[in-house]
């Protein structure tokens, strides 16, 4: 953008490829040249990054940067449509790049196979006109926001959880930023990750396509972008609602006393203790490993093993002898948990069990132990034949 498109021309194969764009008055030849000149950074090639990167490449965005450090896992394939079964175990960046080159070999791809951190964010973002946030955790969302604010770059935002999705455009030049919507992060562990709470596989397709649409509108300078408006999508009820977001001037770089002056430690800011991830939280209190628990169960100790997952998860797999009491029901059924026995609490990976322990401690329970790694740890260390999900 920034006038670069004036020097861009289309080849005959590109005219054929983009003919349905070029004949639209809102796009036309100049619009397609703007798309070819544009440089867009996609952070994350997962659920949101998959559809938005595919459509941006197909639309003819000239340069796409992809940021992802992860590898493809089988559990990704339910929603991350840019990857396939043959890609399991491969770098997500490499897998996505192969698919995008097949969709449109005319697009230049910049692969950033690294963690997006406070140390490299500004050096990466500065090369692009627009940033599209396809991440799934609060520390990175705040990092993306602050980098875009400092560099005056539009940030096309999306988020998903279960059946709900959100999308907006944070443009620090003319509108609010992510901190205007969420000045402070939620308490650590308050919002479950998709790995803990699940997500409808189709949902990121809808939100990712909305992000791609907003990105193309920004490049072309057409329509009314979602600046200052948060779009909420409820897939269960098939409803879309928009909410106004007010710009808080204290977050603007050009403010008399700007709050965002540089990048910080975002894991510390979001209360992620010791850099632990949502899937592997840092525990407070006593822990027990799966191997230790198995030895104590085999020894016939009088343990109360409490499973706080949801009933549908309990149907998939369970540790023999455990008692199911879903976390949402714990406050009304707490008397079912004995106070005179040692209580071993577990969930899928450890986040919900720690919340259960915190609640039980407040009710006067003292003999509480958290199973390290949850039932996934049990499957890894004790029962490799257990079904994983």
């Amino acid at each position: 953008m920034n006038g670069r498109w004036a020097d861009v021309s289309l080849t005959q194969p590109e005219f054929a490829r983009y003919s349905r764009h070029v004949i639209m008055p809102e796009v036309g030849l100049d619009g397609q040249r703007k798309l070819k000149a544009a440089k867009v950074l996609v952070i994350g090639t997962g659920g949101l990054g998959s559809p938005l990167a595919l459509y941006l490449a197909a639309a003819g965005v000239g340069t796409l940067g992809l940021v992802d450090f992860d590898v493809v896992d089988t559990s990704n394939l339910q929603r991350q449509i840019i990857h396939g079964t043959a890609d399991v175990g491969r770098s997500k960046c490499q897998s996505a790049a192969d698919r995008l080159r097949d969709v449109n070999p005319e697009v230049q791809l910049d692969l950033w196979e690294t963690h997006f951190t406070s140390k490299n964010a500004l050096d990466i973002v500065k090369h692009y006109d627009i940033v599209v946030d396809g991440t799934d955790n609060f520390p990175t969302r705040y990092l993306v926001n602050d980098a875009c604010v400092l560099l005056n770059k539009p940030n096309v935002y999306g988020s998903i959880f279960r059946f709900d999705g959100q999308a907006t455009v944070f443009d620090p030049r003319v509108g609010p930023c992510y901190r205007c919507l969420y000045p402070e992060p939620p308490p650590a562990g308050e919002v479950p990750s998709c790995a803990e709470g699940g997500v409808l596989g189709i949902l990121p397709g809808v939100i990712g396509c909305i992000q791609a649409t907003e990105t193309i509108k920004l490049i072309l300078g057409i329509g009314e972008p979602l600046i200052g408006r948060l779009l909420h999508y409820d897939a269960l009820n098939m409803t879309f609602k928009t909410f106004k977001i007010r710009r808080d001037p204290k977050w603007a770089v050009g403010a008399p006393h700007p709050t965002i002056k540089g990048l910080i430690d975002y894991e510390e800011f979001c209360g992620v203790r010791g850099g632990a991830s949502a899937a592997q939280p840092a525990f407070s209190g006593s822990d027990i490993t799966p191997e230790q628990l198995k030895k104590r169960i085999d020894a016939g100790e009088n343990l109360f093993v409490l499973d706080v997952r949801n009933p549908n998860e309990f149907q998939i797999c369970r540790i023999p002898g455990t008692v199911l009491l879903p976390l949402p029901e714990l406050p009304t059924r707490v008397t079912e948990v004995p106070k005179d026995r040692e209580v071993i609490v577990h969930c899928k990976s450890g986040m919900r069990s720690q919340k259960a322990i915190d609640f039980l401690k407040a009710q006067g329970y003292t003999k509480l132990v958290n199973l390290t790694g949850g039932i996934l740890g049990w499957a890894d260390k004790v029962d490799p034949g257990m079904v994983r999900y």
Side-chain angles (χ1 to χ4, degrees):
M1 300 198 304
N2 298 324
R4 291 193 309 268
W5 67 271
D7 300 321
V8 171
S9 59
L10 301 182
T11 64
Q12 184 57 47
E14 287 175 323
F15 271 109
R17 180 180 290 272
Y18 307 127
S19 63
R20 300 304 188 273
H21 270 176
V22 175
I23 62 176
M24 296 174 63
E26 296 85 354
V27 181
L29 176 57
D30 286 349
Q32 197 61 51
R33 292 161 67 196
K34 290 178 181 178
L35 288 169
K36 185 174 180 178
K39 298 181 178 182
V40 176
L41 181 67
V42 177
I43 303 180
T45 57
L48 294 172
S50 290
L52 70 88
L54 285 168
Y55 275 107
L56 292 177
V61 171
T63 301
L64 280 179
L66 306 178
V67 182
D68 208 315
F69 66 90
D70 206 358
V71 297
V72 181
D73 184 80
T74 302
S75 64
N76 302 149
L77 303 181
Q78 163 253 15
R79 63 200 178 281
Q80 300 181 16
I81 59 170
I82 204 168
H83 311 295
T85 302
D87 297 312
V88 171
R90 291 185 67 202
S91 152
K92 282 188 176 180
C93 265
Q94 295 292 340
S95 169
D98 286 348
R99 181 72 183 100
L100 293 174
R101 291 187 184 108
D102 185 49
V103 169
N104 190 349
E106 305 290 344
V107 175
Q108 175 183 319
L109 298 175
D110 303 335
L111 305 186
W112 303 89
E113 296 183 78
T114 181
H115 286 270
F116 191 70
T117 69
S118 297
K119 294 182 179 180
N120 62 21
L122 295 178
D123 287 334
I124 294 175
V125 170
K126 69 181 182 182
H127 298 288
Y128 301 91
D129 307 310
I130 299 170
V131 176
V132 192
D133 185 355
T135 63
D136 62 356
N137 63 85
F138 290 102
T140 310
R141 287 171 182 164
Y142 280 99
L143 170 58
V144 172
N145 175 79
D146 291 1
C148 288
V149 168
L150 290 170
L151 295 174
N152 267 329
K153 307 280 187 178
N155 168 17
V156 183
Y157 167 80
S159 67
I160 52 173
F161 182 68
R162 292 185 174 167
F163 293 92
D164 294 324
Q166 296 181 342
T168 189
V169 175
F170 297 118
D171 190 338
R173 301 168 299 181
V174 295
C177 71
Y178 184 71
R179 287 180 181 268
C180 299
L181 182 61
Y182 301 113
E184 299 290 338
E190 183 76 19
V191 181
S193 66
C194 288
E196 288 283 344
V199 62
L200 183 69
I202 305 165
L203 181 68
V206 176
I207 301 301
C209 286
I210 290 172
Q211 289 179 279
T213 302
E214 291 300 296
T215 302
I216 289 176
K217 285 161 58 182
L218 290 174
I219 294 170
L220 298 179
I222 62 173
E224 193 173 327
L226 281 171
I227 298 172
R229 294 181 295 146
L230 179 70
L231 179 68
H232 176 263
Y233 170 54
D234 179 344
L236 274 181
N237 294 309
M238 195 49 67
T239 58
F240 289 87
K241 297 180 181 178
T242 56
F243 304 89
K244 289 185 178 180
I245 310 173
R246 294 186 177 181
R247 186 184 194 189
D248 187 339
K250 74 178 181 181
W251 300 116
V253 172
H257 303 287
T259 304
I260 302 175
K261 300 178 181 179
L263 303 182
I264 60 174
D265 184 333
Y266 292 90
E267 290 184 339
E268 180 181 351
F269 173 69
C270 293
V272 182
R273 290 162 291 189
S277 69
Q280 294 179 312
F283 300 117
S284 60
S286 299
D287 299 341
I288 189 171
T289 67
E291 298 95 331
Q292 291 169 334
L293 177 59
K294 177 67 162 59
K295 187 177 295 185
R296 295 181 66 181
I297 291 175
D298 291 345
E301 293 191 30
N302 187 29
L303 303 174
F304 187 86
V305 184
L306 176 63
D307 186 336
V308 296
R309 296 177 299 154
N310 295 323
N312 56 308
E313 296 175 272
F314 193 74
Q315 289 179 334
I316 299 171
C317 59
R318 68 191 72 173
I319 297 173
T322 55
V323 175
L324 175 66
L325 205 172
L327 181 61
E329 299 178 23
L330 187 57
T332 58
R333 297 175 56 189
V334 67
T335 55
E336 298 177 29
V337 182
K339 284 189 174 182
D340 59 347
R341 296 167 62 185
E342 188 172 9
V343 180
I344 312 294
V345 189
H346 83 83
C347 59
K348 180 181 179 182
S349 60
M351 183 66 71
R352 285 171 287 177
S353 58
Q354 182 58 50
K355 292 178 69 174
I357 285 177
D358 291 341
F359 173 78
L360 291 170
K361 281 182 178 178
Q363 308 307 308
Y365 287 79
T366 57
K367 301 177 181 180
L368 300 168
V369 181
N370 202 333
L371 178 61
T372 304
I375 202 165
L376 294 182
W378 180 273
D380 287 338
K381 305 296 184 180
V382 175
D383 186 3
M386 175 179 279
V387 175
R388 297 173 61 92
Y389 65 100

